[in-house]
Amino acid sequence: MLTNEPISNLRTHLGYWLRVVSNAISQNFARKVSAEGVTVAEWVFLRMLFDAESIAPSQLAENMGMTRGAISKLSDRLFEKSLIEREENPDDKRAHTLALTNAGRALVPRLARLADENDAEFFDKLPHEERLRLERILKSIVSQRDLKNIPIG
Amino acid sequence: MLTNEPISNLRTHLGYWLRVVSNAISQNFARKVSAEGVTVAEWVFLRMLFDAESIAPSQLAENMGMTRGAISKLSDRLFEKSLIEREENPDDKRAHTLALTNAGRALVPRLARLADENDAEFFDKLPHEERLRLERILKSIVSQRDLKNIPIG
DNA sequence: TCATTATAGTTTCCAAGTAAACTATAATGA
DNA sequence: TCATTATAGTTTACTTGGAAACTATAATGA
C-alpha cells in the first residue's frame, strides 16, 4: 500500500444513509401513486400546474430540474391520459402553455393525500422535535449548497 | 370542494427535502466518479467486491437491492472495463463467482477518496452534533422500517 | 431412476431519463 | 431589410434499470 488511509466503508457516509431512506420513501410513494395511474414525476408536474394555473414547458423544466426533452415526453404522457391540455401561444408560435384538465385538477387532491400518507408512514414515529431538527438540517444544506430544483432521477 | 382539507404543497413533506438533498449528493458523486470512468452503481459493486474477495452475482443483487438482470448487465460493463473477473463454479455450473482484477482493486481506494470528499462537501459545514443527530435519525428510520438494501434507482 | 421443481444467470422488452441534433419561430443589428 | 443568432419545443440515439421469459444445471422425491 502506498497510503495508510483506510478504504472507507459504504456505511461510513451520511450520503449513503440519506440515499437509503430517500429511495425507500420515493419507492413507497411510487407504489402508492401508481394505483392512481401516475408516476412520481407526473405527480410533481401536476402539482406544479395546480398552483401555476398555466405554465410554459421550459419554465416547468427549470422548476423540476429536468431537461426540456424530458418535459416534452412527460407532457405527451399526461396529455394521453387527458390530465393536461396544451395550447400554442398566439403571440409567439414557438411557445406553448400547459394547464390541467378538469380530470387533472380532480386528481391532484387525491395524490396530495397519498403524499401526506407517505410522509406520515416514514416520519410520524419520530418525536416532533426530531422532525424539526431533520427539516432544519436538510434545509440548511439546501441553502448552503444553493440547491434549487427537484432532480427526479 | 367536497373536503376542507388543503392540498398540501410539495415543500411541506420531509420526503421532498430528503430527496432534494439526496439527489444532489448522488449527482455530485456521479460527476466525481465519472472522471474515473465509473458510475455510482459500479462504485457500490466494486466496493462490495473489495470486502467480499469473491461473491456470487445473486448475492450481490441481494446486497445491492437490484435485480439479477441488472447485476448481470453491470457485470458485463465492469468486465469490459477489465475491473472484475468472472469464474464458473466447478461444483455447480450454474453458479459464478465475481472478483476484482488488480486494476479493479487499485481503483477502489481512489473511488473511496471521492466518496469521502463528496460527503465532506455536503456535511462538513454542519456542526458535529448536527451530523450525529442526522445520522441517528436516518438510522432510526432504517431500523424502524427495516430497510435492508441500497436501492440505487 | 428420472420427471418435476428449484435455482443461477442471461436475455428481451419496456420505461423514463439525458445530451445533442433538429425544426420552427422570433429577435437582433449591420 | 434580411442575415445571423437566440429561443421553444420535439425528436433521436443512448443509458440504465425492472419484470418476466428463457437457458442451463442441480436438487428432490415418487
Side-chain angles (χ1 to χ4, degrees):
Chain A
M1 294 278 277
L2 294 170
T3 170
N4 293 321
E5 300 190 57
I7 312 307
S8 53
N9 191 281
L10 293 168
R11 290 176 173 72
T12 62
H13 299 117
L14 266 173
Y16 168 89
W17 295 102
L18 215 53
R19 187 174 60 186
V20 169
V21 175
S22 174
N23 288 351
I25 293 172
S26 290
Q27 286 185 4
N28 201 58
F29 186 52
R31 191 178 45 70
K32 282 176 189 286
V33 295
S34 76
E36 296 283 354
V38 299
T39 65
V40 175
E42 288 167 4
W43 147 248
V44 175
F45 189 118
L46 295 172
R47 183 64 187 80
M48 287 187 168
L49 269 193
F50 189 88
D51 280 346
E53 209 56 53
S54 91
I55 192 170
S58 55
Q59 183 60 51
L60 202 52
E62 171 75 17
N63 295 349
M64 290 182 66
M66 295 175 74
T67 62
R68 286 172 300 150
I71 294 296
S72 180
K73 285 178 277 190
L74 252 174
S75 297
D76 288 345
R77 296 194 299 263
L78 291 169
F79 184 80
E80 281 305 307
K81 294 177 188 174
S82 303
L83 296 172
I84 66 166
E85 296 169 332
R86 286 194 272 204
E87 252 179 56
E88 218 180 52
N89 184 331
D91 298 336
D92 182 345
K93 288 184 185 170
R94 294 170 305 179
H96 293 185
T97 49
L98 305 173
L100 293 177
T101 60
N102 287 337
R105 183 159 297 276
L107 180 56
V108 168
R110 291 213 300 281
L111 298 175
R113 287 295 149 269
L114 296 179
D116 295 341
E117 258 180 51
N118 193 56
D119 228 51
E121 282 179 36
F122 283 87
F123 299 112
D124 262 12
K125 281 178 187 132
L126 284 183
H128 182 62
E129 196 176 87
E130 301 272 274
R131 280 208 297 282
L132 292 177
R133 278 176 179 161
L134 179 56
E135 183 173 353
R136 187 170 37 71
I137 293 171
L138 293 172
K139 285 183 176 174
S140 79
I141 293 170
V142 166
S143 79
Q144 183 224 310
R145 300 277 306 184
D146 199 23
L147 307 179
K148 292 200 179 70
N149 306 320
I150 316 172
I152 299 287
Chain B
M1 294 276 279
L2 294 170
T3 168
N4 292 321
E5 300 190 54
I7 312 306
S8 52
N9 191 282
L10 293 169
R11 291 177 171 71
T12 59
H13 299 116
L14 266 174
Y16 168 88
W17 296 103
L18 214 53
R19 186 174 60 184
V20 169
V21 174
S22 173
N23 287 351
I25 294 173
S26 290
Q27 286 186 3
N28 200 60
F29 186 53
R31 193 177 45 69
K32 283 177 188 286
V33 295
S34 76
E36 297 282 354
V38 298
T39 66
V40 175
E42 287 167 5
W43 147 249
V44 174
F45 189 119
L46 294 172
R47 183 64 187 81
M48 288 189 167
L49 268 192
F50 190 88
D51 280 346
E53 207 56 54
S54 92
I55 193 171
S58 55
Q59 183 60 51
L60 202 52
E62 171 75 19
N63 295 348
M64 290 182 66
M66 296 175 75
T67 62
R68 286 171 300 149
I71 295 296
S72 179
K73 286 177 274 189
L74 253 175
S75 297
D76 288 345
R77 285 180 249 143
L78 291 169
F79 184 79
E80 281 305 308
K81 295 177 188 174
S82 302
L83 296 172
I84 65 166
E85 294 169 332
R86 285 194 274 205
E87 253 180 55
E88 218 181 51
N89 184 332
D91 297 338
D92 181 344
K93 287 183 184 169
R94 293 170 306 180
H96 293 184
T97 49
L98 306 172
L100 293 176
T101 60
N102 287 337
R105 183 159 296 276
L107 181 57
V108 168
R110 292 214 299 280
L111 298 175
R113 287 294 149 270
L114 296 179
D116 295 342
E117 258 180 51
N118 192 58
D119 228 51
E121 282 180 35
F122 283 86
F123 300 111
D124 262 14
K125 280 176 189 135
L126 283 184
H128 182 63
E129 196 176 85
E130 300 273 274
R131 280 207 298 281
L132 292 178
R133 278 176 179 159
L134 179 56
E135 184 173 353
R136 187 171 36 70
I137 293 172
L138 293 172
K139 285 182 176 176
S140 80
I141 294 169
V142 166
S143 78
Q144 183 224 309
R145 300 276 306 184
D146 200 22
L147 307 178
K148 290 199 180 74
N149 306 320
I150 315 172
I152 298 288

